[in-house]
Amino acid sequence: MPDRSTLTFIIGGARSGKSAHAETLATTSPPPWAYIATAEAYDDEMRERIALHRSQRSEGWTTIDAPLDLAGALEALPDNQPVLVDCLTLWLTNHMLAEHDLDLEYRRLADVLSQPRGPWFVVSNEVGQGIVPDNALARRFRDAAGRLNQQVAAIADTVLLMVAGLPLKVK
Amino acid sequence: MPDRSTLTFIIGGARSGKSAHAETLATTSPPPWAYIATAEAYDDEMRERIALHRSQRSEGWTTIDAPLDLAGALEALPDNQPVLVDCLTLWLTNHMLAEHDLDLEYRRLADVLSQPRGPWFVVSNEVGQGIVPDNALARRFRDAAGRLNQQVAAIADTVLLMVAGLPLKVK
Amino acid sequence: MPDRSTLTFIIGGARSGKSAHAETLATTSPPPWAYIATAEAYDDEMRERIALHRSQRSEGWTTIDAPLDLAGALEALPDNQPVLVDCLTLWLTNHMLAEHDLDLEYRRLADVLSQPRGPWFVVSNEVGQGIVPDNALARRFRDAAGRLNQQVAAIADTVLLMVAGLPLKVK
């Protein structure tokens, strides 16, 4: 039996098919599948998105909410469990709003992700290819997201860039 | 004689050379070439852009305006006609401003595009790789464009991502 | 000895690892290495970024400031000097703020870049993959940056798109 303990990092723009592709890849392994949701519903638009995503997932999925303690949620998983983390940019948003020490959080997360114990799929957004944002918070977020994406991509076994629903292999 | 009935989808950011590359590809087939323009001139900046694009196209091109009924314009084409659709994101903008049912429009368009009757080239914008926009309309547009791009990429024979004027093959 | 006179163009979003990758590539040649900085410190945020970047570079680098006369700075380099230009989009910003003739500046720069006299690495930002910006100046900048990137990519020997710190070969 091949070693299925690998980290796949899936990055792309909004509505580029990241989550759907990650689901397709995760479900090539037998269930049960773990879906680690980092979204926190701050408003109705967000609540709607979360409910829609949840209703679109097929049976066999268990949802684990981890808006902040993503490392802990990953550590609590059994071995060989296929998992989809959706997504890193929302997790980052939650930590920025809580004014946590990002470097510390990145390190904790990278420690866990560098030793995947199953077929792990992590989704994140590319947010840095537009015009420099007007406001300082958006620029800070953009920088922080870029740094986070680089760190995870560096330790991932496979990195895919999603373009219009199609994966482009980067690593 | 090879089957030249194929759909090529060309996606990229602003000023990434999408239209120019699509023109280069379309004109490898003999003229006459059809240029289906979806732009609607709402203001002077737009009128200027349209006029500039039109003046830059070489002879042999026929321009067809189809700000809304793109499916109808494609259906009216003769067989084996090379065609450039420029572009899907402006067509989407026009339908959103007219408050049309997007799912219905997407289905009509996908029906026609899934059966190309010549070398068809469709251009669209990647708009989802920046920071989440402040206003709700821009977010709705970004989501709608992403969904549209995914649908067209799924039925296209070839998908190219333009980067600084150069094509990167995605499919 | 192989011909090391080549132009490598490295494009990517904010915090995509462009400069770090360019540094890695440049330092495969023996020092001294030239770092041509185009940044002009208009405010504290910028000053901080510049100081941070400078402190992160290892020894063996000479920094040359060229906020406007980039072509001149390149012409003044000795033959076979590894050089990193960081970055084209800031250079463009400076010329737009000074209301210079961009076409003229592009031509001067392209003339010099088309005849590299060493391993030259030029970094630029992809800024066109977000939503159309609200304000006209940002749209003008986005168009100008896209045109500039196309021109440099066209004459480059190698073009790399940075995604989360990893290079994707475009040319």
Side-chain angles (χ1 to χ4, degrees):
Chain A
M1 189 181 153
D3 181 12
R4 298 296 306 272
S5 291
T6 55
L7 179 67
T8 301
F9 183 52
I10 298 162
I11 188 170
R15 295 280 161 184
S16 62
K18 302 179 298 293
S19 304
H21 191 67
E23 259 186 69
T24 302
L25 294 177
T27 53
T28 60
S29 298
W33 309 299
Y35 180 93
I36 303 186
T38 59
E40 190 115 64
Y42 296 108
D43 56 28
D44 286 350
E45 189 181 332
M46 202 69 186
R47 242 183 299 278
E48 221 170 272
R49 254 172 206 260
I50 293 174
L52 180 73
H53 272 136
R54 200 173 278 226
S55 71
Q56 284 171 342
R57 278 194 296 280
S58 57
E59 288 195 28
W61 284 95
T62 309
T63 300
I64 299 157
D65 286 302
L68 290 168
D69 189 14
L70 177 52
L74 287 163
E75 282 170 335
L77 289 173
D79 284 351
N80 304 313
Q81 164 104 60
V83 65
L84 195 174
V85 176
D86 195 4
C87 64
L88 284 196
T89 24
L90 287 175
W91 172 81
L92 169 61
T93 303
N94 297 335
H95 279 288
M96 282 186 75
L97 290 175
E99 301 187 6
H100 290 166
D101 178 340
L102 296 183
D103 286 328
L104 188 72
E105 297 297 334
Y106 286 9
R107 254 196 314 273
R108 275 199 66 207
L109 181 61
D111 280 350
V112 180
L113 290 179
S114 60
Q115 311 237 5
R117 291 174 297 103
W120 288 5
F121 300 88
V122 174
V123 165
S124 191
N125 278 72
E126 172 59 70
V127 296
Q129 302 209 356
I131 278 287
V132 179
D134 281 335
N135 78 77
L137 180 64
R139 286 198 299 275
R140 267 188 56 216
F141 175 75
R142 197 169 77 138
D143 281 0
R147 280 206 323 271
L148 175 60
N149 288 336
Q150 283 191 47
Q151 289 189 25
V152 177
I155 57 180
D157 300 286
T158 303
V159 177
L160 304 175
L161 171 68
M162 297 303 297
V163 177
L166 303 168
L168 196 57
K169 189 156 187 165
V170 181
K171 176 183 180 179
Chain B
M1 188 183 154
D3 182 11
R4 298 297 307 271
S5 292
T6 56
L7 179 66
T8 302
F9 183 52
I10 298 162
I11 188 170
R15 294 283 163 183
S16 62
K18 303 178 298 292
S19 304
H21 190 67
E23 259 186 70
T24 302
L25 295 177
T27 52
T28 60
S29 299
W33 310 299
Y35 180 93
I36 303 187
T38 59
E40 190 115 66
Y42 295 108
D43 55 30
D44 286 351
E45 190 181 331
M46 201 67 186
R47 241 183 300 278
E48 221 169 272
R49 252 171 208 262
I50 294 174
L52 180 73
H53 272 135
R54 200 173 278 225
S55 72
Q56 284 171 341
R57 277 193 297 280
S58 57
E59 287 196 29
W61 285 95
T62 309
T63 301
I64 300 158
D65 287 301
L68 290 167
D69 190 14
L70 176 53
L74 287 163
E75 283 171 336
L77 289 174
D79 285 350
N80 304 314
Q81 164 103 63
V83 65
L84 195 174
V85 176
D86 195 4
C87 66
L88 285 196
T89 23
L90 287 175
W91 171 81
L92 168 61
T93 303
N94 297 334
H95 278 290
M96 281 187 74
L97 290 175
E99 301 186 7
H100 290 165
D101 179 340
L102 296 183
D103 286 328
L104 189 72
E105 296 298 333
Y106 285 9
R107 255 197 313 276
R108 277 199 65 207
L109 181 61
D111 280 350
V112 180
L113 289 179
S114 59
Q115 312 237 4
R117 292 174 296 99
W120 289 5
F121 301 88
V122 174
V123 166
S124 191
N125 278 72
E126 172 60 68
V127 296
Q129 302 209 356
I131 279 288
V132 179
D134 282 335
N135 78 79
L137 181 63
R139 285 197 299 275
R140 268 188 56 219
F141 175 74
R142 196 169 77 138
D143 281 359
R147 283 206 320 273
L148 175 59
N149 288 337
Q150 284 192 46
Q151 289 188 26
V152 177
I155 56 180
D157 300 285
T158 303
V159 176
L160 304 175
L161 172 66
M162 297 304 296
V163 176
L166 303 168
L168 196 57
K169 188 155 188 167
V170 181
K171 177 183 179 179
Chain C
M1 188 180 152
D3 182 11
R4 299 296 306 271
S5 292
T6 56
L7 179 66
T8 301
F9 184 52
I10 297 164
I11 187 170
R15 294 282 160 182
S16 63
K18 303 178 297 292
S19 303
H21 191 66
E23 260 187 69
T24 302
L25 295 177
T27 52
T28 60
S29 297
W33 311 299
Y35 181 91
I36 303 186
T38 59
E40 190 115 66
Y42 295 110
D43 55 30
D44 285 351
E45 189 181 333
M46 203 67 187
R47 240 182 301 277
E48 220 169 274
R49 253 172 207 262
I50 293 174
L52 181 73
H53 272 135
R54 200 173 279 224
S55 72
Q56 285 171 342
R57 277 193 296 281
S58 57
E59 288 195 28
W61 285 94
T62 308
T63 300
I64 299 157
D65 287 301
L68 291 168
D69 189 14
L70 177 53
L74 287 163
E75 282 170 335
L77 290 174
D79 284 352
N80 304 314
Q81 164 104 62
V83 66
L84 195 174
V85 175
D86 195 3
C87 67
L88 284 196
T89 22
L90 287 176
W91 172 81
L92 169 61
T93 303
N94 298 334
H95 279 289
M96 282 187 74
L97 289 175
E99 301 188 6
H100 290 166
D101 178 340
L102 297 183
D103 286 328
L104 189 71
E105 296 297 333
Y106 286 10
R107 255 197 313 276
R108 276 199 66 206
L109 181 61
D111 279 350
V112 179
L113 290 179
S114 60
Q115 312 238 4
R117 291 174 297 103
W120 288 5
F121 300 88
V122 174
V123 165
S124 191
N125 277 72
E126 172 60 69
V127 296
Q129 302 209 356
I131 280 286
V132 179
D134 281 336
N135 77 77
L137 180 64
R139 287 198 298 277
R140 268 187 56 216
F141 175 74
R142 196 169 78 137
D143 282 0
R147 283 207 319 272
L148 174 60
N149 287 337
Q150 284 191 47
Q151 288 188 26
V152 177
I155 56 180
D157 300 285
T158 302
V159 176
L160 304 175
L161 172 67
M162 296 304 296
V163 177
L166 303 167
L168 195 58
K169 188 154 187 166
V170 181
K171 177 182 179 180

